[in-house]
Structures are given as C-alpha cells and as structure tokens.
Amino acid sequence: MSTIIGVDIGTSVTKAVAFDGAGRARAAAVRRSHVEMLPGGRVEQDLDDVVTGVGEVVREVAHALGGPPDAVALTGQGDGLWLRDAGGRPVRPAISWMDARASELVTRWLADGTIRAAYAHTGSGMFPGCHGPLLHWLQQHEPKTLDRAAVAGYCVDAVAQHLTGRVCLDASDATLPFLDPRTRRYAPEALAACGVEGRADLLPAPAAPGTVLGLDGRGARLLGLAEGLPVVAGPYDLPACAIGSGVRAVGDGVLILGTTLASQVLTDRVDLDPLAEPAGMWLCTPDPGRWLRAMPAMVGTAALEWVLALVGATTADVDALLTESPPGARGVHAFPFLSEAGERAPFVEPSAQGRLDGLSLATGRADAVRAVCEAVGYAARHCLEAAGLSGDLALCGGGTRSVMWARLMADVLGRPVRIPLEEQVGALGVVSVARASLSPGYEAPPGRHRVVEPREDVRPLYEDGYERYRAGLATARAGWGGRAR
C-alpha cells in the first residue's frame, strides 16, 4: 500500500508521521520550533526555522521508512499573519495567532460594530491574532512592510510555497476573517469594514479542492526527496483533526484538547445570523457541501501548564493530582482565560482574564489543578453548545494523554467521548485528504478509538457547576467591557 508522510506544523512542535494505506503509522519524528515571546504580548516565529524543522522531520521519517514516500501532506497552525514576497521569502517575522498587539483595536471594533459588520458577510468573528486586525495594525505601524509583501498568508501555505514554488491556500485557512464560506470568495464588505480593502491583492484566492502540487528543486533538496513528488497543502490543523478523528456525519463534532481548545461540529449549511454572537467561524472543508462550525477558544493545555507551574508540578503529576482532589475541587472555581490576547470563542473579549476563587488555608495544590481542568471543561461545553453539537463527540489532542483529565472532560460535558487511538490525528486527517486528492473516490477507513463514558453520580454536581460558570462569566464579561450573554 502507498505510504504518505503527513506533516503537522504546530506552533511549538512540528511532527511528521508516515501512514500506510490502512491508516497505520509506520514512522514518526518530532522537532521543536522556536516561538519568540516579545513585550506587549507580541508573539512571532521565523519561517526559516519552521521550514528547517519540516525538512528535518521528513528526512528522519523517510530514512526510517527505508525509501521515499508516495506523497507529502501538510497541515499546521492557522491564523496569524505570514507575509512573504513573490519568491516566498518572509518580509518580516511571522506574527503568531497568539499575538496580542492588536488587542486594543479589536476592543474598539467590538464597541463600534466593525466586527459585527464583517460577521454579517462571513460568519467569522475576529480576535487580535487574525488577518483583519493584524493587517490594519501593520497598515498603521508598518506600511512599508505591507508594500514589500506579495502574499498575506498562513503557516501551511508559507511552507508549501517554500517546497513547491507555488502559492496554494486551502479554503479552511482563508476562512477567517474575510471569506464568505458559501461562495469561497472574499467578501469585499468585510475587507472594507476592517479598512484594508486596499490590500486585497495580498490575499490569494483559495485553491480548488483536490489540488496537488509537486516538490520543486529547492523543496526536493530540503526534504531529501525526488523533485516532482506530490505535495498536498491543507486543510489546516483544526479541520484536519476533525477528519482524522472520524467526524463524518452532520451533527458530529470533535474537541481538540490542545494549546487551542477547539470545538468543531460538522454541518451541511451555513447560517449567517446577524444577531448571533460574532465569534467562531464556518470552516470550509474539502467537500464543498460541508462546513465545520468552529469555536476555537484560547484556553486549553496552556492553562493546565500554568497552574502546574504555579503549584510546582509537571504534566507527569496530572493524573495523581486529579485523583487527589474530588469532583468540584473542594469549592475552588476558576476562569481559564490566561492568554494575553483574551478570548475568541464562543465570545470575543481581548480583556478576558483568568481567576481562581474559593481558596482557603485548606486548599491544596490538587484542588487548584482540578479547578482549572474543570473550568476548561466548562469552556469546552460552552463552545460545543454554541457550535451546535447534536451527535457523537470525538476528543483528541495532547490533553487526552491524561486518563483522569479525559474522564473529567466526559463528566463535565455530560456525554461519552470517543478518543482516537492514533494520537496524531491532524497528520492522519491531512493524509486522508491527500489520498482523496490523488485517488478520487477514496474513503478513509474507520479509525480505532476508545470510549470514555460520563459518570452519572457526578452529573448533578457538574450541571450545577456549569450553571455557576455561565452566570459568573456573564458578570465578568460586563466588568471586562463585553456584553453579557
């Protein structure tokens, strides 16, 4: 059976996995990427560093295979702003999706109706780390940078251009914040609302589903593979994880318990409700008649890592700590909004802040950890409700390595969760897309998974906890300057 290497270019880690035709992983490699955390909440990455990491992991996997793969498929982080010149060279460091430099601008746009005006034409909310605010910010502060750029793209298409010499933007990446997901064309009204209609020429048109590229000489040398080898770029990591997790039926969803807490539900229609909370997005999928209603929150494993560092523990201690503290965390409650860019789903609030309440001298470090984990669960439940989950739910991401946190999530959500046995579902998902692009009519085999059932004895506690979370969030949003929902 043919072997395809799937590459998942995360924010801090790049992973490559070779899958055979049955979806079995045959070899894998991992490299860390450097993320530059700068004053003022600025977060940037070096495209050359990212590309070097891609080359290293692909070479390692190809060597382990003992021969070349039949294709390479790319997925990775979305949003942010990866500006390049016509040759694909960066004109400045890439601005990460975690960046907060445009937070004040987003706050102003929320108040003056700018974001709602764009939302009416795209169904996509905005947050500081997406194209709309970042392009506007650069237009005000670095106009010469934009003048030097030919492409305002994303991570996956930036790497693909380096490997193939072609600009190929997947429609999923293009979704936020200017794309009308129904037509897969940019909405001029959204560009105008953000005041960047004069930069529309920087936005590549989304590629047609099924587009296949080929390694050029530079890409072949980087990967150590033959020139002309097929390359498929996209979808980016959120929809790739949905595909790799086995989301197939309308109403089914996936929750990614990673750096981003990403909730997605498969749908066969787009509802651009002008009265809805202007948050989330309708992600285009490789099937033009299907979309993913996505609510990617800024909370996630980063919140867990923060509280672990606070109490002097590590991820190796999570299961023991969650076992030590009972459901409800002995009355300790949390808000997990720790990103300097605030929150982006299921509401947008750049000034959102985290909180630990109910502390006393009797509080132990395990209670603080459980309270944060439960709060992430409540945030996930809020996002899934906003996304319209009505069917089965898959749970994936690094957080699922903790048996106790996975059980906690099922308990807080009050529903069974299917956890894929293949951890690298993003790479698996984009490999499935590559197979369908290379062999039309291909259908991915059903993946293997385990099911975690919620415990009935804790259901009342978590129902009450969720109501308290939502009520406290409404009060907090009024204090942050947002509108309570």
Side-chain angles (χ1 to χ4, degrees):
M1 291 185 180
S2 63
T3 299
I4 297 178
I5 296 179
V7 185
D8 188 347
I9 312 159
T11 305
S12 56
V13 174
T14 294
K15 295 160 283 191
V17 186
F19 291 99
D20 64 20
R24 294 185 296 257
R26 294 184 53 196
V30 177
R31 290 290 185 279
R32 294 202 66 83
S33 298
H34 179 66
V35 180
E36 192 76 21
M37 310 297 287
L38 302 168
R42 302 183 187 201
V43 185
E44 298 183 345
Q45 288 194 267
D46 178 6
L47 175 58
D48 289 336
D49 174 65
V50 172
V51 168
T52 297
V54 170
E56 290 174 350
V57 293
V58 170
R59 281 177 173 270
E60 182 175 335
V61 169
H63 177 75
L65 290 174
D70 295 283
V72 172
L74 304 175
T75 186
Q77 59 179 297
D79 301 312
L81 185 59
W82 297 65
L83 290 167
R84 293 106 65 191
D85 63 20
R89 298 297 307 160
V91 298
R92 71 170 327 280
I95 303 177
S96 169
W97 62 272
M98 298 187 296
D99 194 271
R101 74 188 69 199
S103 291
E104 291 184 6
L105 176 64
V106 172
T107 298
R108 187 165 72 248
W109 282 0
L110 283 168
D112 67 16
T114 294
I115 289 178
R116 183 165 291 281
Y119 183 85
H121 299 279
T122 65
S124 288
M126 289 189 223
F127 69 104
C130 74
H131 268 49
L134 290 176
L135 284 172
H136 187 100
W137 191 94
L138 288 174
Q139 191 163 262
Q140 297 296 313
H141 299 277
E142 297 182 24
K144 292 183 179 179
T145 297
L146 294 180
D147 292 342
R148 293 195 303 272
V151 179
Y154 303 80
C155 176
V156 175
D157 64 281
V159 173
Q161 185 177 5
H162 197 98
L163 297 180
T164 70
R166 291 177 55 188
V167 177
C168 182
L169 178 64
D170 189 81
S172 62
D173 253 328
T175 298
L176 184 68
F178 302 125
L179 199 74
D180 182 335
R182 301 163 299 184
T183 64
R184 299 192 177 216
R185 295 182 182 138
Y186 297 112
E189 299 89 346
L191 287 156
C194 296
V196 295
E197 62 271 32
R199 302 293 182 175
D201 61 320
L202 296 179
L203 304 176
T211 297
V212 178
L213 309 173
L215 287 180
D216 65 7
R218 179 175 64 171
R221 290 189 295 274
L222 177 76
L223 302 186
L225 299 173
E227 191 169 347
L229 186 81
V231 176
V232 172
Y236 83 99
D237 57 6
L238 264 62
C241 283
I243 295 166
S245 296
V247 175
R248 301 285 187 271
V250 170
D252 287 354
V254 59
L255 173 63
I256 304 171
L257 191 55
T259 304
T260 296
L261 182 71
S263 303
Q264 303 173 83
V265 175
L266 189 65
T267 179
D268 57 2
R269 64 183 182 86
V270 172
D271 181 13
L272 301 187
D273 181 0
L275 300 179
E277 181 96 12
M281 69 279 281
W282 300 85
L283 290 175
C284 296
T285 75
D287 181 347
R290 294 287 187 271
W291 297 265
L292 286 160
R293 182 61 170 138
M295 290 288 168
M298 300 294 283
V299 305
T301 55
L304 174 61
E305 291 166 359
W306 172 84
V307 74
L308 288 172
L310 187 70
V311 303
T314 69
T315 53
D317 304 313
V318 172
D319 281 351
L321 290 166
L322 291 179
T323 301
E324 182 180 335
S325 180
R330 297 190 178 93
V332 181
H333 313 300
F335 279 160
F337 310 116
L338 298 174
S339 169
E340 288 189 84
E343 188 49 275
R344 61 175 174 171
F347 60 90
V348 177
E349 182 48 71
S351 58
Q353 294 180 323
R355 200 165 73 192
L356 271 175
D357 293 331
L359 303 175
S360 72
L361 292 175
T363 300
R365 63 177 192 160
D367 301 320
V369 172
R370 175 172 276 276
V372 169
C373 289
E374 290 180 345
V376 171
Y378 293 138
R381 183 167 171 175
H382 192 185
C383 287
L384 288 165
E385 288 180 357
L389 179 68
S390 60
D392 293 336
L393 178 66
L395 178 67
C396 65
T400 60
R401 296 191 187 100
S402 165
V403 173
M404 293 301 297
W405 199 8
R407 177 185 296 173
L408 182 154
M409 293 300 290
D411 288 341
V412 172
L413 295 172
R415 61 167 58 239
V417 295
R418 296 185 301 106
I419 301 178
L421 297 186
E422 170 54 57
E423 285 191 7
Q424 304 303 334
V425 292
L428 178 60
V430 77
V431 164
S432 294
V433 172
R435 291 192 188 282
S437 300
L438 293 165
S439 302
Y442 167 83
E443 292 188 11
R448 297 177 302 141
H449 60 267
R450 61 186 175 92
V451 177
V452 179
E453 298 280 351
R455 295 174 294 175
E456 288 300 321
D457 61 320
V458 297
R459 182 183 293 272
L461 182 149
Y462 283 125
E463 291 298 323
D464 290 344
Y466 182 56
E467 289 184 13
R468 182 176 57 247
Y469 170 87
R470 290 292 301 272
L473 180 58
T475 301
R477 287 190 64 186
W480 294 331
R483 291 182 296 165
R485 287 275 176 176

